[in-house]
Amino acid sequence: MPKLSQSARVKRLCLLFLALCLPLASVRAQSDDALPILVQVLQSADDAQVQLDILKGMADGLKGRRGVKAPVGWDAVATKLGQSGNAQVKELVQQLSLVFGSASALADMRKQLLDPKAPTAQRLAALEALVAAKDASLAEPLRQLLKEPALRGAALRGLAAYDDAKTPPAILELLATLTAAEKRDALGTLASRLSFARPLVTALVAGKLAAKDLPADLVRQLRNYQQADLNAALDKHWGAARESTADKKAEMERYKALLAKAGAQKEDLGKGRAVFAKTCGQCHQLYGVGGKVGPDITGSNRADLDYLLHNILDPNAEIPNDYRTWNLDTKDDRSISGIMARQDATAVTIVTPNESLTIARTDIAKLKQSELSMMPEGLLQALPEDEVRNLIAYLRGKEQVPLK
Ligand code: HEC
């Protein structure tokens, strides 16, 4: 009966759309009550795009959470969609099964992660899902993956989730061989726990890590642990924190004088771009390249030296509220500093210079907005004079130059 089956299909489609529009909104408002309805819709949805939309909505709403009770009917849906021809559908189903505590999904994901022949994108997705699920025995495999360039950055970031004493030496040993972006990930992870911070500062003191390679925002994170010995070592080897307005004024004048006097060499904008990439680019976009923690500064008043120095040397003079630093401590002693991108009843999303992290409220020990800008003070402090000159020349320029 083609006629009937067609009208049945149309009716089902209409129901589907109704069901889709209503609960998706409530999933985003993170109510677990919507999950069974979505699973019901998934049971009858045959269109891959519809399936994807629903699965994405569910994954988005459950981000940062784990051990959530599986909604009624999930196992049947997971079995059905596990056979989908659409790779993304399969991936999301697995990811959600993991959130619902499925042991077989965990085993499958681990297999994918460690399979050198699996596509990189799939391995990266598995890595992220396993870290999010807090797979307890992941630290060792992650350290093994540091050997693979395609997964190294994600593995470096993922290791921050595990308080494991073998991690700092494994990372520090690699430090000299890492690319600039990997180095940031490595240092970000080492600054993320007090137990990792000690070996990091020891490496700084021993000269295995150059002060100019340790970003100012991470120095601030290290000082946040309020350990007298760490702070003393940072004062000595990186530079003392300058807080008072008088200091800032003196600093402005000092840099102005430095920039006014002719250097031994002419400024090199290409080298300035490299300094920008290392010191500012993790947070700011300039000419379409860079991070999104701070504002895009392409259209700012950067040709004006006073504007630049004022903003670089005294970032806390005036701070738009959205850019104040949030400090989050997890119950397992990880510290995260960044700007708040989203928060709701079940989870918060913090954007750091390295990544965007969604943490379930149940995992949070402390969450506080500080009075300080996410832009750290002391950015120029550890830079040699020629690097400061090149950076400022690059910032005052009108167009992009090739990187040196
Ligand atoms: C850890 C992140 C971070 C780093 C690193 C960083 N900034 Fe910022 N920056 C911010 C944030 C957040 C703001 C906005 C809040 C404020 O003004 O303090 C900002 C503001 C600014 C502004 C003012 C923008 C405006 O809209 O007027 C300038 C200019 C600037 N930064 C330049 C730099 C330069 C140059 C560097 C490198 C030497 C740098 N920043 C490094 C996060 C960062």
Side-chain angles (χ1 to χ4, degrees):
M1 292 181 290
K3 226 177 172 179
L4 190 70
S5 84
Q6 198 180 1
S7 76
R9 218 181 296 152
V10 169
K11 198 165 133 201
R12 214 168 62 187
L13 256 174
C14 292
L15 267 174
L16 199 91
F17 276 104
L18 259 180
L20 243 179
C21 303
L22 297 174
L24 266 190
S26 48
V27 166
R28 292 240 162 74
Q30 29 59 59
S31 145
D32 292 358
D33 302 346
L35 291 173
I37 307 170
L38 290 171
V39 170
Q40 261 182 26
V41 179
L42 274 175
Q43 252 153 7
S44 51
D46 293 326
D47 182 73
Q49 191 54 53
V50 175
Q51 293 168 349
L52 263 183
D53 286 345
I54 299 175
L55 291 167
K56 276 186 191 151
M58 288 173 72
D60 196 32
L62 290 166
K63 218 169 169 206
R65 299 176 62 201
R66 65 204 136 82
V68 177
K69 196 169 163 294
V72 180
W74 174 255
D75 288 347
V77 162
T79 309
K80 177 186 136 190
L81 298 184
Q83 270 128 43
S84 163
N86 183 307
Q88 219 187 338
V89 166
K90 270 165 65 176
E91 203 172 285
L92 280 165
V93 165
Q94 244 183 6
Q95 190 186 319
L96 283 164
S97 289
L98 204 61
V99 175
F100 298 139
S102 153
S104 65
L106 187 82
D108 281 353
M109 289 258 190
R110 287 185 124 240
K111 221 168 86 193
Q112 272 170 34
L113 173 63
L114 299 174
D115 177 4
K117 291 198 200 84
T120 304
Q122 205 179 325
R123 297 180 73 196
L124 278 172
L127 194 161
E128 266 159 33
L130 286 166
V131 170
K134 285 227 161 59
D135 175 6
S137 49
L138 200 65
E140 185 53 39
L142 286 177
R143 285 193 294 266
Q144 291 302 320
L145 292 171
L146 294 177
K147 296 194 191 98
E148 297 190 42
L151 298 182
R152 192 176 290 143
L156 283 165
R157 291 189 296 274
L159 279 166
Y162 300 93
D163 194 357
D164 186 323
K166 289 193 192 130
T167 292
I171 294 182
L172 284 166
E173 185 188 17
L174 282 177
L175 209 57
T177 65
L178 300 178
T179 66
E182 289 166 353
K183 202 174 267 183
R184 257 216 71 88
D185 285 332
L187 296 172
T189 288
L190 291 174
S192 70
R193 296 176 176 275
L194 179 55
S195 57
F196 291 2
R198 288 192 186 282
L200 172 63
V201 173
T202 304
L204 177 76
V205 172
K208 289 187 188 128
L209 166 67
K212 69 185 172 77
D213 287 341
L214 185 60
D217 59 303
L218 296 183
V219 171
R220 181 167 68 188
Q221 205 172 338
L222 293 169
R223 289 192 195 278
N224 259 349
Y225 294 118
Q226 299 180 354
Q227 301 292 304
D229 58 332
L230 294 187
N231 286 352
L234 288 169
D235 283 351
K236 179 152 179 239
H237 297 274
W238 196 87
R242 296 204 191 95
E243 300 291 335
S244 82
T245 357
D247 286 345
K248 301 259 158 46
K249 269 206 174 122
E251 236 189 333
M252 275 286 269
E253 293 314 317
R254 193 166 71 74
Y255 278 106
K256 269 185 150 166
L258 167 82
L259 292 162
K261 92 174 186 245
Q265 273 155 355
K266 201 174 161 7
E267 291 85 15
D268 184 326
L269 272 59
K271 285 190 182 153
R273 181 175 171 189
V275 179
F276 179 84
K278 185 178 74 178
T279 321
C280 324
Q282 66 271 33
C283 293
H284 289 288
Q285 295 233 332
L286 179 55
Y287 306 121
V289 203
K292 291 190 169 157
V293 173
D296 186 328
I297 56 171
T298 315
S300 73
N301 192 19
R302 62 198 157 77
D304 178 345
L305 183 61
D306 280 339
Y307 165 85
L308 270 184
L309 286 178
H310 175 69
N311 275 290
I312 298 173
L313 298 174
D314 197 5
N316 293 308
E318 61 272 329
I319 321 160
N321 228 344
D322 287 351
Y323 291 117
R324 278 180 209 281
T325 308
W326 283 85
N327 292 313
L328 187 158
D329 292 342
T330 64
K331 285 182 182 159
D332 64 352
D333 295 327
R334 177 174 183 184
S335 297
I336 297 163
S337 283
I339 57 167
M340 176 77 74
R342 176 169 142 183
Q343 59 172 325
D344 57 40
T346 55
V348 305
T349 301
I350 307 265
V351 180
T352 77
N354 295 322
E355 59 189 327
S356 167
L357 284 164
T358 300
I359 310 284
R361 291 225 182 241
T362 48
D363 288 336
I364 298 175
K366 209 169 101 191
L367 174 64
K368 205 165 176 281
Q369 187 178 32
S370 94
E371 287 301 304
L372 298 177
S373 168
M374 189 51 206
M375 176 150 163
E377 306 205 330
L379 280 162
L380 304 184
Q381 213 166 313
L383 296 182
E385 281 188 9
D386 60 328
E387 289 197 9
V388 173
R389 257 177 215 291
N390 292 337
L391 170 69
I392 298 290
Y394 171 68
L395 285 168
R396 298 181 76 186
K398 289 198 180 61
E399 54 190 16
Q400 187 62 293
V401 295
L403 183 69
K404 270 198 200 143

